[in-house]
């Protein structure tokens, strides 16, 4: 696996509206980012994150050997020359969209750091040069794709960057009066109000921000179920908006699945994170911003992670590298397989595909190589809190494009510090287990035992495991669409053994080390150890239990678990002449049987997709009952920051509905949230495609010769595939002799016609048309040369929404 940090989502390979002319290379490139991140995509170079560099979310990122002294770019990439001085106007003439030949006067020049500010916006989840779906729904500009949008984006990025310079201050709108021309005040109002109301700026626990919370609420009552990160984020934000808030929490503490326990013994103390522990990606991570407001310096989890064999001896570094490379190649092949299969891959597990490829490509392997391979499988199951046999081949990593990037970090003193700061002055009632939620046109009733809490709106933030269990009765019952989504999404398990020792006996130069098992069914049992001695305040080790072993662990007596862990540690260290003492205190987690969680975090199971996260996030009852939590965000699922961001999102949604009710305006659901409407619109546009070849159809953006302008590609799948012998793809040649692949192909051929899509530039679409060898070679070209995903309509994302809207508007004008 690469020793590089995962990349933030790259800028799209085209722009809606006038594109940035300056290459996306800041004056002082961030050394924490991969060099390729700064390359400006062109029709001949499609920026992509290589599949095999990914270690999903919390899965440990490791290297077996010392890092290279420098990072070499692949030979097909241009070198990174120093960027030219930024022009006074970083944007070119937008072409035929506006006939004014001197369009530059209409584009705001706030400063000379437009590209640097675009990179800052990227880390917060905004496309570099287009609108998000949230912004489109909020109506931040009067029309999509024009000069107004470009100026809005420049203002938005500037506001965001200014706040990031000092996150402990409240950023006022007046701070921009001197740099934004007066006639652009409406755009300044639009951008500032959007960023504040949606929690992108002026959020957190700094004194200057806390003092903005009104002393007395002036708006409607809101009942929040659950005091985890989502509930606390929503509560603070709603309080700042002036709402009266009460939070009902079933436990005796707040934080939910984020729990820092103080461990002690023999005058030793340590803060042990028994739930969420790693801040995954710190570029733009809002929890990293809160840590900064608290004055904390995050500790980077170092990626050196030595592995030890079942007998305790170190794994040979060359063998380690060999097996890891083979594992990454299998992941890469699984990625290519799903591209060829289209949406049928939804019905296949990642585990089945990896096992098939292992059988096809695996050379004769030794027992140690198999143990190593199984360690990597356990790490993947840790990352997803799910069995590989349950993970969707099609969408297990659907959130990859939104990875915030940056280091994985520990917060010294534990994440309970974040929880404590967020819960300060929030009205929380503990030990209130909610049994029922009634919702209707007049408001909500949240019932706990014999007590009824009434409000104008309610926010449900309980974990997906609780929703799956049905322990909360909704009256009326939730819509079938939401019930189906709850059923489809997966909710897995991760457990831990935390041990406080009398002293540190392990290497303090590393934060992780791994242990192999010679029993495949036990591959996740204590497979990874985290050293918290540098951040917990004492000699603390935590052993992880993932996959099938995590479920078996729920019934293992704690004394047996600690005994097994000590056997492993003594097998590693005693041959080195190092004595391993008995721990002063040990704690074993049982997240699967915890009635307030019933698991650890979500994943995309077989049959599910990223759409199900959106479905879980939808409000019901005409804007009365809302949902937040890590299982309601398709961009950042299974993360602490995802839960936090979802709380800010729903606070904005609730305020919007409350304001609309106050004005007696009915909130219409955006077409972009309506799958049928989106599918219908695309179907209409593709009735008259701009290009057709084989099973491929293309519609272009603006009628322009600009090779970077957007193109949406549709691939029609289904029916017997017609091939001649010289058109068979490499993937088919390599796998057609295997039973599973034959079954998948048979299933694929029997389906009704399906449509999958991708977003390319105009030039890339024209190049695709020229590929010889039929549809199979074109698919191979998309997969191998361009590295793109074929996705369902909902997977195209907000950049495609902008392109679709522009194409529709243009055709309407014609």
């Amino acid at each position: 696996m690469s020793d590089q940090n995962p990349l933030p989502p790259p800028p799209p390979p085209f722009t809606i509206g006038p594109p940035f002319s300056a290459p996306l290379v800041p004056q002082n490139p961030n050394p924490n980012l991969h060099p390729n991140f700064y390359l400006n995509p062109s029709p001949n170079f499609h920026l992509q994150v290589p599949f095999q560099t990914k270690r999903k979310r919390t899965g440990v990122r490791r290297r077996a050997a010392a890092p290279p002294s420098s990072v070499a770019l692949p030979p097909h990439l241009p070198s990174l020359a120093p960027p030219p001085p930024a022009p006074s106007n970083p944007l070119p003439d937008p072409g035929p969209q506006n006939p004014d030949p001197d369009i530059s006067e209409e584009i705001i020049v706030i400063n000379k750091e437009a590209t640097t500010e675009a990179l800052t916006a990227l880390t917060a989840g905004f496309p570099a040069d287009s609108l998000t779906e949230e912004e489109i729904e909020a109506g931040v500009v009067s029309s999509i794709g024009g000069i107004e949008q470009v100026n809005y984006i420049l203002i938005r990025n500037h506001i965001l960057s200014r706040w990031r310079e000092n996150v402990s201050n409240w950023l006022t709108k007046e701070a921009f009066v001197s740099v934004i021309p007066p006639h652009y005040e409406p755009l300044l109002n639009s951008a500032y109000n959007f960023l504040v109301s949606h929690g992108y700026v002026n959020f957190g626990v700094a004194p200057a921000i806390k003092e903005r919370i009104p002393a007395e609420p002036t708006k409607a009552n809101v009942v929040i179920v659950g005091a985890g990160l989502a509930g606390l984020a929503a509560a603070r934000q709603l309080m700042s908006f002036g709402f009266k808030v009460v939070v009902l929490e079933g436990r005796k503490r707040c934080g939910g699945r984020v729990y820092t326990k103080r461990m002690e013994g023999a005058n030793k103390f340590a803060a042990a994170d028994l739930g969420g522990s790693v801040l995954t990606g710190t570029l733009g991570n809002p929890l990293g911003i809160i840590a900064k407001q608290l004055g904390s310096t995050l500790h980077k989890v170092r990626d050196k992670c030595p592995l030890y064999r079942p007998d305790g001896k170190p794994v040979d570094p060359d063998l380690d590298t060999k097996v890891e490379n083979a594992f990454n190649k299998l992941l890469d092949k699984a990625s290519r397989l799903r591209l060829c299969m289209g949406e049928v891959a939804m019905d296949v597990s990642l585990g089945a595909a990896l096992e098939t490829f292992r059988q096809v490509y695996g050379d004769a392997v030794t027992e140690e190589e198999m143990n190593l391979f199984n360690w990597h499988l356990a790490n993947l199951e840790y990352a997803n809190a799910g069995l590989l046999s349950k993970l969707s081949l099609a969408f297990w990593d659907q959130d990859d494009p939104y990875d915030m990037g940056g280091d994985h970090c520990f917060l010294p003193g534990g994440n309970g510090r974040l929880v404590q700061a967020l819960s300060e002055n929030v009205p929380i009632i503990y030990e209130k287990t909610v049994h029922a939620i009634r919702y209707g046109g007049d408001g909500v009733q949240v019932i706990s035992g014999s007590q009824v809490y009434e409000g104008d709106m309610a926010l449900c933030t309980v974990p997906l495991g609780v929703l799956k269990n049905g322990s909360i009765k909704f009256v009326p019952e939730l819509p079938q669409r939401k019930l189906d989504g709850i059923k489809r999404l997966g909710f897995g398990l991760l457990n831990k053994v935390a041990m406080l020792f009398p002293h540190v006996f392990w290497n303090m130069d590393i934060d992780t080390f791994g242990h192999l098992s010679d029993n495949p069914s036990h591959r996740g049992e204590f497979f990874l150890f985290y050293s918290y001695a540098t951040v917990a305040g004492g000699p603390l080790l935590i052993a992880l239990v993932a996959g099938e072993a995590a479920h078996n662990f729920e019934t293992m007596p704690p004394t047996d678990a600690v005994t097994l862990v000590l056997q492993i540690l003594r097998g590693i260290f005693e041959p080195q002449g190092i004595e391993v003492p008995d721990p002063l205190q040990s704690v074993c987690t049982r997240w699967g049987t915890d009635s307030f969680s019933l698991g650890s975090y979500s994943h995309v199971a077989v049959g599910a997709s990223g759409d199900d996260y959106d479905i879980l996030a939808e409000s019901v009852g005409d804007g009365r009952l809302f949902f937040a939590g890590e299982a309601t965000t398709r961009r950042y699922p299974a993360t602490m920051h995802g839960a936090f961001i979802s709380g800010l999102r729903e606070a904005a949604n609730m305020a919007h509905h409350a304001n609309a009710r106050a004005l007696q305006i009915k909130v219409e659901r955006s077409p972009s949230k309506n799958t049928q409407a989106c599918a219908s619109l695309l179907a209409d546009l593709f009735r008259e495609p701009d290009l057709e070849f084989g099973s491929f159809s293309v519609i272009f953006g603006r009628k322009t010769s600009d090779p970077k302008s957007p193109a949406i590609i549709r691939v029609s799948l289904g029916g017997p595939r017609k091939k001649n012998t010289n058109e068979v793809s490499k993937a088919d040649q390599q796998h057609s002799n295997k039973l599973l692949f034959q079954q998948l192909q048979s299933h694929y051929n029997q389906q009704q016609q399906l449509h999958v899509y991708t977003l390319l530039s105009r030039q890339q679409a024209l190049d695709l048309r020229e590929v010889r060898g039929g549809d199979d070679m074109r698919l191979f070209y998309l997969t191998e040369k361009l590295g793109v995903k074929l996705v369902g309509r909902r997977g195209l994302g907000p950049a495609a929404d902008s392109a679709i809207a522009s194409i529709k508007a243009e055709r309407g004008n014609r």
Side-chain angles (χ1 to χ4, degrees), residues 550-736:
H551 294 270
N552 297 334
F553 183 78
E554 294 274 325
T555 56
M556 181 185 293
T559 52
D560 292 357
V562 173
T563 299
L564 287 172
V565 173
L566 289 175
Q567 286 177 0
I568 291 171
L569 292 174
R570 286 166 179 157
I572 294 172
F573 292 101
E574 288 185 350
Q576 305 175 39
I578 300 171
E579 181 183 354
V580 176
D582 288 336
L584 301 172
Q585 186 186 9
S586 302
V587 177
C588 298
T589 66
R590 298 282 188 271
W591 289 107
T593 49
D594 183 323
S595 61
F596 296 111
S597 61
L598 297 174
S600 298
Y601 40 91
S602 66
H603 57 256
V604 183
V606 174
S609 74
D611 289 353
D612 291 315
Y613 288 111
D614 288 338
I615 292 171
L616 261 67
E618 291 173 353
S619 63
V620 299
D622 195 20
R624 297 291 183 178
L625 177 58
F626 299 79
F627 293 83
E630 58 84 14
T632 70
T633 168
R634 77 184 295 160
R635 288 189 168 204
Y636 312 113
T639 61
M640 291 184 288
H641 63 267
F644 183 85
I645 289 170
S646 75
L648 298 179
R649 177 199 71 210
E650 290 313 303
N653 287 339
M654 296 169 85
H656 176 59
H657 278 83
N659 293 338
R661 269 194 293 272
L663 298 171
Q664 296 186 329
I665 299 172
K666 182 174 178 60
V667 178
E668 296 291 343
R669 196 157 91 173
S670 165
S672 62
K673 291 283 189 185
N674 187 315
T675 307
Q676 290 182 333
C678 289
S680 176
L681 174 57
L682 265 187
D684 286 341
L685 292 177
F686 272 103
R687 284 175 184 160
E688 296 183 35
D690 295 300
L691 289 178
E692 282 188 284
F693 43 92
S695 299
F696 293 74
S697 305
V698 184
I699 54 175
F700 290 132
R702 302 184 308 273
K703 289 298 180 183
T704 172
S705 58
D706 181 3
K708 296 182 181 179
S709 62
I712 298 176
I713 314 293
R714 184 179 78 176
V715 187
S716 299
L717 306 173
R721 301 180 69 190
K722 298 178 181 178
K723 306 182 200 174
N724 58 44
T725 54
N726 59 4
E727 285 190 1
V728 178
S729 72
K730 290 183 179 180
D732 287 354
Q733 291 172 348
Q734 291 165 338
H735 304 299
S736 60

Side-chain angles (χ1 to χ4, degrees), residues 268-336:
K268 300 289 182 179
F269 305 91
D273 277 321
L274 300 181
S277 58
V278 183
L279 293 182
T280 52
T282 50
L283 294 177
N285 190 320
L287 296 180
I289 289 173
I290 291 176
K292 189 174 183 180
Q293 292 173 340
L294 293 174
S296 295
T297 300
L298 297 175
H299 171 80
K300 176 187 174 182
V301 181
R302 292 163 288 187
D303 57 2
K304 184 179 180 182
C305 180
L307 299 182
Y308 296 91
R309 302 186 328 195
D311 62 7
K313 295 179 181 178
V315 169
D316 177 70
D318 292 337
L319 184 65
D320 189 358
T321 301
K322 172 188 172 183
V323 173
E324 186 165 36
N325 289 339
F327 175 76
N328 288 331
K329 287 178 182 178
L330 288 188
L331 283 181
D332 204 24
K333 293 179 189 301
S335 179
R336 293 200 294 271

Side-chain angles (χ1 to χ4, degrees), residues 138 314 355 371 663 755 796:
E355 178 59 22
N371 293 341
L663 298 171
H755 298 304
L796 280 172

Side-chain angles (χ1 to χ4, degrees), residues 509-522:
D509 293 334
I510 59 175
D511 292 313
T512 58
F513 59 92
H515 177 259
L516 277 54
S517 172
D518 52 12
N519 185 337
S521 64
H522 290 187

Side-chain angles (χ1 to χ4, degrees), residues 64-115:
S69 58
S70 62
V71 178
L73 292 178
H76 65 282
L77 300 182
S79 63
L80 286 173
S88 59
N89 171 21
L91 303 174
D93 187 309
Q97 191 166 20
N98 192 315
D100 188 342
D102 189 17
I103 203 66
S104 62
E105 293 182 0
E106 293 189 37
I107 299 173
I108 299 175
V109 181
I110 301 174
N111 57 33
K112 296 183 179 182
E113 301 295 330
T115 52

